[in-house]
């Protein structure tokens, strides 16, 4: 059994840091931002890259260790072909333009998801960026591309069975967790979705079990330093109990045997 360096929120009580150690974001609202300005939807996606750059900088300044963003879901292939094509081109253009900046800022880049349908040139660019930044230590930036939470769990199950073989007594969470696509990161402390929608849309289904959820009407191209600080302030006002009572939290009780939510 592989031991992960992070505490599972359902197996123990993770540290509740004042600044979120890991922030996960669904960057929603690019198309609507563009339509409001009588621009093509793709213009919103291009503008959204500027917001991501500002959020990365702000996370660095605030001491966030892990930032994970949902760039392209496994369901986004259902969008119009010209929009999907533009998103692929934008991915290539952004990686080429930003990878040196990411490296200079001591950020490690990872791209997770099913990359099989992507052009070889894009996959090569991704792998080159990951290799270039592999030794960086200040922050971990993960881009989820052609990713889905159910895909993640299913591919982890396949890998677990291949690694563990048939097991009469069944499998445990600790058997599956090392095979998840984001096993290298702690579970998100704070999940943010922009654009006014209040759902997680098949994003990190396993990992969001005890994350604090924050929804905002701000469209992604309008989201920047001030909006991220507001999300972090909301997080800092939450009581993170992980199944315990308020009295246990205040008193420092670490008994995680209960599973209640009262």
């Amino acid at each position: 059994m592989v031991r992960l360096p992070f505490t599972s929120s359902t197996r123990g009580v993770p540290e509740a840091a004042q600044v979120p150690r890991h922030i996960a974001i669904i960057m929603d609202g690019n198309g609507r931002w563009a339509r409001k300005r009588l621009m093509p939807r793709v213009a919103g996606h291009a503008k959204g890259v500027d917001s991501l750059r500002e959020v990365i900088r702000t996370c660095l300044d605030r001491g966030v260790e892990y930032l994970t963003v949902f760039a392209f879901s496994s369901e986004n292939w259902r969008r119009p072909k010209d929009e999907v094509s533009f998103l692929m081109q934008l991915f290539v253009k952004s990686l080429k333009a930003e990878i040196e900046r990411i490296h200079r800022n001591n950020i490690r880049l990872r791209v997770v998801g099913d990359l099989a349908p992507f052009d070889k040139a894009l996959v090569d660019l991704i792998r080159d960026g990951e290799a270039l930044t592999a030794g960086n230590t200040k922050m971990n930036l993960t881009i989820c591309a052609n990713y889905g939470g159910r895909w993640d769990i299913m591919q982890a199950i396949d890998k677990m069975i291949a690694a563990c073989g048939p097991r009469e007594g069944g499998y445990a969470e600790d058997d599956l967790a090392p095979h998840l696509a984001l096993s290298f990161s702690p579970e998100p402390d704070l999940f943010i979705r922009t654009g006014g929608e209040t759902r997680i849309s098949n994003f990190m289904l396993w990992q969001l079990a005890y994350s604090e959820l924050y929804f905002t009407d701000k469209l992604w191209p309008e989201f920047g330093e001030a909006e991220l600080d507001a999300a972090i302030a909301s997080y800092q006002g939450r009581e993170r109990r992980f199944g315990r009572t308020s009295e246990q939290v205040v008193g420092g009780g670490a008994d995680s045997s209960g599973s209640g939510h009262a």
Side-chain angles (χ1 to χ4, degrees):
M1 182 184 301
V2 178
R3 294 292 181 183
L4 297 180
F6 309 112
T7 301
S8 163
S9 60
T10 57
R11 303 279 289 171
V13 180
E15 179 186 357
Q18 180 71 1
V19 174
R21 186 181 187 188
H22 185 179
I23 296 177
I25 304 177
I26 293 182
M27 306 177 292
D28 195 16
N30 292 322
R32 281 172 285 155
W33 179 90
R35 286 202 308 271
K36 284 171 61 176
R37 289 157 179 79
L38 304 180
M39 301 164 68
R41 286 177 52 86
V42 294
H45 294 302
K47 181 65 175 175
V49 175
D50 296 335
S51 291
L52 178 56
R53 189 183 301 115
E54 182 172 349
V55 165
I56 292 171
R57 177 186 59 78
T58 305
C59 284
L60 280 171
D61 292 344
R62 303 300 183 267
V64 175
E65 297 179 43
Y66 295 84
L67 173 64
T68 301
V69 297
F70 207 4
F72 190 85
S73 79
S74 49
E75 291 74 53
N76 284 155
W77 295 105
R78 303 168 183 169
R79 293 190 174 189
K81 288 185 178 180
D82 58 346
E83 182 172 344
V84 171
S85 176
F86 178 85
L87 287 170
M88 295 299 109
Q89 295 171 35
L90 182 62
F91 200 177
V92 170
K93 179 180 177 181
S94 298
L95 277 174
K96 287 180 177 179
E98 301 296 332
I99 192 62
E100 288 297 335
R101 188 200 310 268
I102 289 170
H103 186 45
R104 286 197 308 271
N105 282 284
N106 197 18
I107 299 171
R108 180 169 186 174
L109 173 70
R110 290 183 176 91
V111 178
V112 302
D114 180 8
L115 304 188
F118 292 168
D119 289 342
K120 183 179 183 299
L122 174 55
V123 175
D124 289 345
L125 194 62
I126 289 169
R127 298 311 181 204
D128 288 346
E130 290 178 325
L132 175 66
T133 63
N136 293 345
T137 58
K138 189 169 185 181
M139 192 175 82
N140 294 267
L141 171 63
T142 302
I143 298 174
C144 293
N146 197 28
Y147 172 90
R150 292 184 177 180
W151 165 85
D152 192 4
I153 293 169
M154 293 305 300
Q155 65 85 32
I157 290 172
D158 289 340
K159 290 179 179 177
M160 177 187 68
I161 294 172
C164 299
R167 183 173 296 175
E168 184 176 342
Y171 302 94
E173 177 180 324
D174 290 343
D175 297 316
L176 180 68
H179 302 291
L180 292 164
L182 287 105
S183 61
F184 54 82
S185 68
E187 296 172 15
D189 300 292
L190 174 62
F191 162 87
I192 299 169
R193 180 169 187 156
T194 62
E197 304 290 356
T198 53
R199 56 179 176 267
I200 61 175
S201 295
N202 197 24
F203 183 43
M204 299 180 74
L205 297 180
W206 179 280
Q207 296 87 348
L208 292 176
Y210 269 98
S211 302
E212 300 298 327
L213 308 183
Y214 180 87
F215 300 98
T216 174
D217 289 335
K218 285 283 185 179
L219 304 175
W220 177 246
E222 302 167 339
F223 193 91
E225 180 178 3
E227 290 73 27
L228 181 60
D229 282 341
I232 292 174
S234 174
Y235 162 85
Q236 291 171 338
R238 313 278 181 94
E239 182 180 72
R240 305 199 73 199
R241 298 195 297 272
F242 298 105
R244 300 168 296 168
T245 67
S246 294
E247 290 76 14
Q248 285 177 296
V249 174
V250 173
D255 179 12
S256 60
S257 60
S259 60
H261 304 282

